[in-house]
Amino acid sequence: MLLPIGALFADFDPVQVHALLGIVGVAASAWAADWFAQSLGATRPWSMIAGFTFGLSGLAATALLEGHVYHVLNPWMPLFAGFWWRTCGPDPTRRDALLSAVCFSLTMLTTAYLGAATCLVAAGFLLGAHWRREAQWRLIGSSIVLMLPVV
C-alpha cells in the first residue's frame, strides 16, 4: 500500500508524508469503524466507541511509535466487515459483494496481520449467514472469487 503512496508523494518531504499518513490513517480507520458499528445498528454516540477503540487502540499507538504507519492507515478492515456483513445478509447487492472484495484486497495489501484477522472475520460472518440460512451463495461466491488473487 505504501508503494503507490510513495510514488505519488515522491516530491514531498518523507517525514511530513509519514506524519500526515499517521494522522489521516488514524482518522480514516476510526471513521470506518464508526461506520461499521452504525451498519450493525449502533447509534451515535455509541458507535463512536468502535471508532475510538479501533482507531486509537494500543496497536495503533505502538505502530506509530515504531514508525509502522501502514498499520494505522487501514480503514479497509472495518469497511470490509461492513460490506461483507451486508453480502452475507438477507438482501445483498452486487455493490456490497464487489466492495467487500475490494476492501478485503486492500486490507491484505496493507498488512498481513490485519489481513489474517480479516480472514477470520470473513469466515465468521460466512458461518453465521449459513447458520441463519440467509446466505445468497451466488453473490458470496462471486465476492470470494474476486478476493482469491490476493490470498
Side-chain angles (χ1 to χ4, degrees):
M1 186 59 68
L2 287 180
L3 288 174
I5 291 172
L8 186 65
F9 294 105
D11 296 332
F12 294 91
D13 179 27
V15 174
Q16 290 180 342
V17 171
H18 190 270
L20 182 63
L21 289 176
I23 293 167
V24 170
V26 168
S29 297
W31 168 82
D34 176 67
W35 172 83
F36 174 55
Q38 288 181 22
S39 69
L40 293 179
T43 58
R44 287 221 168 128
W46 308 112
S47 65
M48 293 171 66
I49 294 171
F52 289 135
T53 56
F54 186 77
L56 304 173
S57 67
L59 175 64
T62 303
L64 287 173
L65 282 171
E66 293 178 355
H68 304 296
V69 73
Y70 55 89
H71 275 283
V72 296
L73 184 62
N74 197 352
W76 319 120
M77 184 179 182
L79 290 174
F80 163 75
F83 291 121
W84 187 242
W85 178 262
R86 291 179 183 179
T87 302
C88 292
D91 298 317
T93 65
R94 288 183 183 152
R95 179 181 174 267
D96 295 332
L98 176 64
L99 288 174
S100 65
V102 168
C103 291
F104 178 86
S105 299
L106 290 170
T107 301
M108 292 294 278
L109 293 172
T110 301
T111 168
Y113 296 113
L114 285 176
T118 303
C119 290
L120 294 175
V121 169
F125 288 1
L126 188 60
L127 287 173
H130 177 69
W131 182 64
R132 290 187 317 269
R133 306 215 189 282
E134 292 180 348
Q136 305 288 327
W137 293 107
R138 180 186 231 168
L139 285 175
I140 290 172
S142 65
S143 185
I144 290 172
V145 166
L146 292 173
M147 293 176 199
L148 288 177
V150 295
V151 176

